[in-house]
Amino acid sequence: MQVGAVGESELVRRIAARFPGPSRPGEVLLGMGDDGALLRHPAGSVQVITTDLLLENVHFRRAWTPFDLLGHKALAVNLSDVAAMGAAPGPFFLNLGLPQDLLLSDFDALLDGLAGEARQAGDIVLAGGDTCASSCLHIGVTLTGQVRPERVIRREGGQPGDLITVSGPLGDAAAGLLLLEAGWRWSTTAAAAARPAGGPLDVPDQVATAALAAHLRPVPCLRLGQDLGGKVSAGMDLSDGVAADLPRLCAASGCGARVELDRIPVGAPARALFAAVGMDAPRAALAAAEDYSLLVTVTREAWQSGLGADHGLAIIGRLVAAREGLALLVDGVEEAWPEPGFHHFSRP
Ligand SMILES: [Mg+2]
């Protein structure tokens, strides 16, 4: 059966069935079902609100993306933004544009993924939203979060001399996209990568599974973001890659940067995949999008007191004065800042 064959009220009933309502009393005073939601503002905290849209054929392809993983990712990318602010996630809102021919079973799988991610994020509550018919699938999530004002992480606040660090290996999600482009798919039944017949990218199955999982099911740094709040000078999440995101942090902080290419922590799946297509692994990882790890700057004093080791941060460079601009250091020699973006992955 298709989504177009049932009315909106049935779709809303299916949504409500998966999100039974507030499990944390007092947080949501009035949830789904009225003209608006009433949220209690926690005393002593400020509220973060972030929103992200996943659009079919722009952010994902239906044929490449299992619906449950799409649900997970739609919420995960918002959770990553809340984590990057140092905040704990709260109630969220869901807007769906649905093609009439979407199978109801796929719609249900999408909701199952969203509900699973909401549970993992600490049983956060769906507080409202909207559905409408659309020519392509679109999933808009708006997520709230709470953080004490002194623990907010902003892109602003980095100072020349601060160390630039990342919280995880880079490039694995982009490696997963390379695989999808080459015909690999995620098998939901096997929970593993499915190899294309005679495909051009021949890598071990476990490498492909790790790379596809990184791309299709990113894990937001929720705990880490809250732990780092108040301890780092600036920070953001890595959605578009260091090459694109670090200039944004630098602009907000009024700084330049020097990043050392040989310090870029390339994920093991990414290293294998980039080698298989003849790309330079650290350069590719620098430009790679959708890792959803955190990019944070740390004072030297905080680093020396063990902050980096405590939280698994890896130094990739340092902030410098704004007039020095951004540059890459390759064997001690300065190179122009790399072009950000996905064009690295569309070369023949
Ligand atoms: Mg972000």
Side-chain angles (χ1 to χ4, degrees):
M1 188 180 285
Q2 297 177 336
V3 157
V6 301
E8 188 183 13
S9 55
E10 169 59 16
L11 299 179
V12 172
R13 191 196 66 74
R14 283 168 183 255
I15 295 171
R18 281 167 179 81
F19 297 95
S23 61
R24 289 182 286 197
E27 186 182 47
V28 179
L29 302 174
L30 186 61
M32 281 183 283
D34 211 306
D35 295 314
L38 295 175
L39 308 183
R40 188 185 294 281
H41 189 71
S45 292
V46 289
Q47 191 157 53
V48 177
I49 299 178
T50 183
T51 190
D52 244 310
L53 185 61
L54 288 188
L55 208 53
E56 183 177 0
N57 298 329
V58 176
H59 300 100
F60 67 92
R61 298 204 188 173
R62 245 199 270 183
W64 293 4
T65 317
F67 280 86
D68 59 330
L69 299 189
L70 189 58
H72 274 282
K73 187 166 180 173
L75 189 50
V77 297
N78 284 277
L79 289 165
S80 179
D81 277 327
V82 161
M85 301 294 293
F92 71 104
F93 298 81
L94 175 65
N95 290 322
L96 293 171
L98 300 168
Q100 298 290 294
D101 64 353
L102 182 70
L103 293 176
L104 261 183
S105 55
D106 289 337
F107 175 74
D108 286 345
L110 178 74
L111 296 179
D112 288 339
L114 279 159
E117 189 73 22
R119 260 194 311 279
Q120 278 174 18
D123 278 326
I124 59 171
V125 176
L126 180 64
D130 198 8
T131 61
C132 72
S134 168
S135 58
C136 66
L137 181 58
H138 100 227
I139 308 158
V141 170
T142 301
L143 175 64
T144 67
Q146 293 85 38
V147 55
R148 300 186 69 82
E150 67 275 14
R151 296 183 71 93
V152 173
I153 300 172
R154 299 179 56 179
R155 297 179 182 186
E156 168 188 320
Q159 298 281 339
D162 288 357
L163 300 167
I164 304 167
T165 74
V166 293
S167 70
L170 304 179
D172 290 344
L177 184 60
L178 276 177
L179 287 171
L180 291 170
E181 287 172 345
W184 286 76
R185 295 291 174 265
W186 183 260
S187 160
T188 301
T189 44
R195 180 180 292 271
L201 264 183
D202 187 16
V203 292
D205 287 342
Q206 63 271 35
V207 169
T209 295
L212 281 184
H215 180 78
L216 293 170
R217 177 128 190 223
V219 178
C221 301
L222 266 185
R223 187 72 253 164
L224 179 64
Q226 291 168 61
D227 287 347
L228 291 176
K231 300 176 185 165
V232 297
S233 55
M236 64 187 297
D237 69 327
L238 282 169
S239 52
D240 294 337
V242 173
D245 286 330
L246 182 59
R248 294 169 180 150
L249 185 146
C250 284
S253 287
C255 289
R258 292 294 175 274
V259 167
E260 296 173 52
L261 187 64
D262 62 5
R263 284 182 176 267
I264 298 298
V266 185
R271 195 170 286 284
L273 260 301
F274 294 154
V277 296
M279 294 195 316
D280 180 82
R283 287 179 194 274
L286 200 60
E290 295 204 286
D291 282 314
Y292 296 106
S293 44
L294 299 181
L295 174 72
V296 292
T297 61
V298 178
T299 64
R300 286 175 188 274
E301 299 74 50
W303 186 267
Q304 279 152 11
S305 70
L307 181 67
D310 289 350
H311 299 293
L313 303 177
I315 297 173
I316 61 167
R318 65 184 198 281
L319 293 178
V320 297
R323 65 184 140 73
E324 296 182 59
L326 282 94
L328 194 59
L329 288 172
V330 185
D331 299 327
V333 179
E334 281 189 15
E335 276 188 17
W337 188 248
E339 287 284 313
F342 256 26
H343 64 273
H344 290 267
F345 305 107
S346 54
R347 284 185 192 148

